[in-house]
Amino acid sequence: MEGYEKLEKARERIIETIAQNIHLYGLVPSAGRQYGMMFFQNEPLTLDDMTEKLGMSKTSMSTSVRALSDLKLVERAWKKGVRKDLYKVSDDWYQSFIDLFSIKWRRSVTLHLVAIKKSLAELEQLSTDPTASEELLEEVQIDIEKLKYIKNYYEWLERLVDVFEDQKIFDLVPIMNDSDNNSKD
């Protein structure tokens, strides 16, 4: 196998793996192929460049770039003399993951905590209702305990998101460079 064929095969393997796993970011495989192809480019690309390399429509490329940009996986680039929009893969994959994780989980935590607090207030009020049956009061008390449990969980999750956003995650799980990783191979 020729050197360039080996290089292309190694790249294609990574591109296909990205395409298979991009669903974790809520994207379709074609966006993963686009992202993977962009990763191996040493220069920013226009939508026309991407269309030519992947054989997909410009509209499809534009939609994927927008989705990748929204997730901060791709960013606009500037090059002197080029008037068309240029795009490149974000340099910091760690920060991209933190942003995605934080945005999605912060929203989820907020929604859950609002619902839990409202339900807890209603159930606590119901638990003092003198007209409520003993059976109902037992069920209310069980639900209050369940809601307190999940409230604790979402408050813990909120602190976990803080650990990511404050970059303290790297104290717990440091980024290793190649020389650190060689000892594990």
Side-chain angles (χ1 to χ4, degrees), residues 113 117 150-160:
L113 285 175
K117 288 174 184 175
I150 64 171
K151 181 176 178 270
N152 286 339
Y153 167 75
Y154 282 105
E155 288 171 345
W156 171 83
L157 197 51
E158 189 171 43
R159 291 191 315 273
L160 179 63

Side-chain angles (χ1 to χ4, degrees), residues 66-85:
R66 193 173 326 108
L68 291 163
S69 293
D70 289 347
L71 294 172
K72 300 182 182 179
L73 296 171
V74 168
E75 55 194 30
R76 279 203 170 144
W78 181 85
K79 190 174 180 182
K80 188 175 182 177
V82 178
R83 291 176 29 198
K84 292 184 177 183
D85 289 336

